[in-house]
Amino acid sequence: MTPADLASTVLTAARAVFVTRGLDVSLLPETTTVERPRNPEHGDYASTMAMQLAKKAGVAPRELAAALADELSSRPGIKSVEIAGPGFLNIRLDAAAAGVLARDVVLAGQEYGRTDRLAGQRINLEFVSANPTGPVHIGGVRWAAVGDALSRLLRAAGADVGTEYYFNDAGSQIDRFARSLYAAAKGEPAPEDGYGGAYIAEIATAVLAEAPDALKLGEDEALEVFRVEGVKLMFAEIRQSLDEFGVHFDTYFNEKDLHDRGELQEALDRLREQGHIYEADGATWLRTTDFGDDKDRVLRKSDGDWTYFAADCAYYLDKRKRGFDRVVIMLGADHHGYIGRMKAMAACFGDDPDANLEILIGQLVNLVRDGEPLRMSKRAGTVITLEDFVDALGVDATRYALARYSSDSPIDIDIALWTRASRDNPVYYVQYVAARTASAARQAAAVGLTRGEAADFRPELLTNEKENDLLKALGEYPAVVASAAELREPHRVARYLEEVAGAYHRFYDEPACRILPKGDEPIGEANRARLWLNDATRTVIANGLALLGVSAPERM
């Protein structure tokens, strides 16, 4: 019995009590939840249903709890129900009801943990979106890991998700990039406001390989060649780096397309229709202060050039036109001031900023060696890049380490810790369970031990405390996935997997929970039941790691 099954049973029991007592069943919630008590002595699960409903129903909490306890006690799979405090229901399952979860998890396989909690939501998730002026730096690496994990979580919770990378191939930063490439190609130092690092020389050389006569052109024409070809080469490298990191976007959106298709003018016209545009000082303004922004924003400058914010408006409108009802944008810590103007912009379009736009801010991350943050990249010169991260930790450890912490908290990633083959390394601790469960299955097969048919599974034999603890941990997985998706917090999955890993190690190391028969003992049904539990653990560990984009090795 999963926690969701038990919660449904509690709700059904409450309905029966209300009908029997002539109470208004419309007071019952559509759904409810049960929780694992902090103290295992209080039972397997706890419900606050009686306290939630007592006042509305006009019944004392403990009186309603007593009625619910009587009703629940008669339900299949419920061993006992105790009333605690003002009306808590502490519920214990019988061994068969608890143990059947192992079979259900194995049979569900990769589908276990997937829910329809966010079904019907169309979400556009934009993350990384680094300008193509250099390799993906350390901040972008964090968003690559967290954003990709979040996209997997949202899909697992039933949402229709489109992932998107927005790249800016126009504007002053691209001009500086082109001038830097041009200077490198001529063997000159980078301009004062240009980009440095070995990658600039590499890209410049690659541009000349594509356009060998570029330096024979006039400066303006040459700069255009370096701009176009340099951006193309740099962005191809960014995409390759992300692909090798396991991050693949559904859409790579080019800002230039917004200009070429006239979408900035379309956005301006739409905002004008909404009555939020005015002219002042020769410029065109959006009155965002009407919706809480600290100042109005210029869309078109007095010289006729569009602002970056105008492109932001057009891009948001483009996403909404493509049918996404919620636009989620992940930004770095230096973009906190961006939230107010974007929320106001959505309101200017006539949208509900709380329903249609969500902005997530990620804090800084440091890669640390010997207690000191690394500051310089061998290739990029001034920043740590995705390649530096992967070279130091590997893909799995990098993704796990970055997804393990709440993205709104600054973090230090210690190279020594995350490359250590020991239990204090969280990713090793979890992946070791993946390998250990696979090893146990191989050893079982070698002695002729198989799970057998699902119909012959004997869940009532899983009676040991360590078995029960592991079953309860496995049962929490669907709720963890759903809450992590709703709260946009992939780190909940990582921390949960570590909890499961601990429960499995305690189960595996318990002499009374041997999976394999001892010595010449014949294979018994208890061995088969524990093999089901072993394989269920591997299923949950593999499914959870997959949500983080991390492998579940069969050997370590």
Side-chain angles (χ1 to χ4, degrees):
M1 181 181 291
T2 67
D5 293 335
L6 179 58
S8 178
T9 299
V10 170
L11 191 56
T12 301
R15 180 173 294 276
V17 168
F18 269 50
V19 170
T20 300
R21 290 181 162 236
L23 301 173
D24 184 1
V25 295
S26 68
L27 297 175
L28 295 170
E30 292 185 6
T31 60
T32 189
T33 58
V34 293
E35 298 179 353
R36 289 167 59 190
R38 291 183 180 179
N39 185 348
E41 294 180 1
H42 294 164
D44 296 322
Y45 295 98
S47 170
T48 59
M49 175 69 82
M51 293 184 293
Q52 292 173 9
L53 296 175
K55 186 174 182 180
K56 295 177 183 178
V59 181
R62 283 188 67 89
E63 179 184 344
L64 184 55
L68 276 170
D70 288 342
E71 182 66 32
L72 278 169
S73 296
S74 66
R75 302 278 167 161
I78 306 295
K79 180 179 180 181
S80 66
V81 184
E82 299 172 355
I83 304 168
F88 289 101
L89 294 173
N90 290 334
I91 305 167
R92 287 180 171 81
L93 305 180
D94 64 35
V100 76
L101 176 73
R103 181 192 63 195
D104 293 345
V105 171
V106 173
L107 294 181
Q110 292 181 355
E111 292 300 307
Y112 181 64
R114 301 184 71 85
T115 72
D116 60 359
R117 186 76 68 90
L118 302 182
Q121 293 191 25
R122 288 208 67 207
I123 299 174
N124 180 283
L125 178 63
E126 180 199 341
F127 57 101
V128 184
S129 293
N131 288 332
T133 55
V136 178
H137 61 74
I138 196 167
V141 179
R142 185 174 197 179
W143 273 141
V146 175
D148 189 60
L150 181 54
S151 72
R152 295 166 187 245
L153 269 169
L154 293 171
R155 288 174 176 135
D160 179 1
V161 181
T163 57
E164 197 143 317
Y165 186 118
Y166 176 75
F167 67 98
N168 172 356
D169 58 354
S172 60
Q173 289 182 324
I174 301 298
D175 291 339
R176 288 161 49 203
F177 178 61
R179 290 199 304 274
S180 301
L181 294 176
Y182 184 48
K186 294 190 296 180
E188 298 175 355
E192 186 175 339
D193 61 348
Y195 295 93
Y199 79 94
I200 288 293
E202 294 170 10
I203 297 293
T205 299
V207 171
L208 289 177
E210 292 288 329
D213 295 330
L215 293 180
K216 298 177 183 178
L217 302 172
E219 182 172 328
D220 290 344
E221 293 177 279
L223 284 171
E224 181 63 13
V225 170
F226 280 98
R227 187 188 71 79
V228 173
E229 294 300 325
V231 165
K232 185 191 304 180
L233 290 164
M234 190 72 255
F235 193 68
E237 181 179 314
I238 289 171
R239 287 190 61 166
Q240 181 179 347
S241 296
L242 292 168
D243 285 345
E244 292 171 353
F245 195 53
V247 178
H248 314 285
F249 290 88
D250 298 318
T251 301
Y252 291 89
F253 196 100
N254 188 330
E255 182 194 350
K256 187 172 181 294
D257 291 341
L258 293 171
H259 293 264
D260 293 345
R261 296 196 297 249
E263 292 192 46
L264 280 79
Q265 185 62 51
E266 180 184 345
L268 176 61
D269 293 342
R270 180 77 65 88
L271 292 166
R272 195 183 299 278
E273 290 172 7
Q274 294 287 332
H276 303 299
I277 294 294
Y278 68 95
E279 310 291 332
D281 302 322
T284 302
W285 297 72
L286 180 63
R287 191 176 286 106
T288 52
T289 51
D290 285 352
F291 298 99
D293 195 6
D294 58 346
K295 61 181 180 180
D296 292 339
R297 305 290 169 174
V298 176
L299 296 180
R300 200 162 200 170
K301 296 182 284 188
S302 57
D303 61 6
D305 287 344
W306 295 101
T307 63
Y308 283 120
F309 186 61
D312 291 336
C313 294
Y315 186 37
Y316 172 81
L317 183 60
D318 183 276
K319 291 177 178 178
R320 296 284 285 124
K321 284 165 54 184
R322 282 185 272 146
F324 293 105
D325 48 54
R326 192 168 187 86
V327 172
V328 181
I329 308 172
M330 303 176 112
L331 299 172
D334 56 342
H335 285 75
H336 201 279
Y338 196 72
I339 298 175
R341 75 189 71 169
M342 290 295 289
K343 289 282 189 179
M345 174 267 290
C348 288
F349 276 121
D351 283 350
D352 179 348
D354 294 326
N356 301 120
L357 178 63
E358 183 177 350
I359 298 178
L360 306 177
I361 299 293
Q363 295 301 320
L364 299 175
V365 55
N366 289 311
L367 189 60
V368 176
R369 176 181 283 133
D370 299 328
E372 293 295 327
L374 299 184
R375 299 295 185 191
M376 301 290 284
S377 167
K378 292 179 181 178
R379 183 162 179 266
T382 57
V383 294
I384 299 300
T385 68
L386 172 55
E387 287 76 10
D388 297 323
F389 234 121
V390 172
D391 286 347
L393 304 184
V395 171
D396 279 350
T398 297
R399 290 190 62 129
Y400 192 99
L402 292 172
R404 185 178 184 262
Y405 302 93
S406 174
S407 57
D408 60 6
S409 300
I411 53 172
D412 291 335
I413 304 298
D414 188 330
I415 294 174
L417 170 65
W418 288 94
T419 54
R420 193 177 299 151
S422 64
R423 289 190 173 191
D424 59 346
N425 175 353
V427 69
Y428 179 87
Y429 186 61
V430 174
Q431 286 186 313
Y432 184 62
V433 171
R436 201 174 194 185
T437 52
S439 175
R442 289 193 299 272
Q443 292 174 37
V447 300
L449 170 58
T450 64
R451 294 195 305 261
E453 297 296 325
D456 299 327
F457 172 56
R458 299 280 301 280
E460 70 276 9
L461 298 178
L462 298 173
T463 59
N464 188 277
E465 179 185 357
K466 300 297 190 294
E467 294 164 346
N468 189 254
D469 289 345
L470 179 54
L471 284 163
K472 285 189 287 188
L474 299 180
E476 294 293 319
Y477 181 63
V480 170
V481 172
S483 63
E486 288 184 316
L487 298 172
R488 318 303 195 228
E489 294 181 343
H491 69 274
R492 290 173 175 264
V493 175
R495 298 307 176 103
Y496 163 78
L497 291 176
E498 291 161 34
E499 180 183 343
V500 172
Y504 178 80
H505 287 310
R506 290 187 290 273
F507 154 75
Y508 190 89
D509 295 337
E510 170 58 51
C513 297
R514 286 183 59 88
I515 298 172
L516 302 182
K518 188 175 181 180
D520 295 330
E521 291 178 352
I523 294 171
E525 292 304 316
N527 301 116
R528 297 189 195 282
R530 292 178 191 130
L531 184 57
W532 279 94
L533 182 53
N534 175 83
D535 294 355
T537 303
R538 176 163 176 87
T539 297
V540 169
I541 290 290
N543 289 357
L545 286 173
L547 290 178
L548 303 178
V550 177
S551 68
E554 294 193 357
R555 289 180 171 84
M556 288 182 71

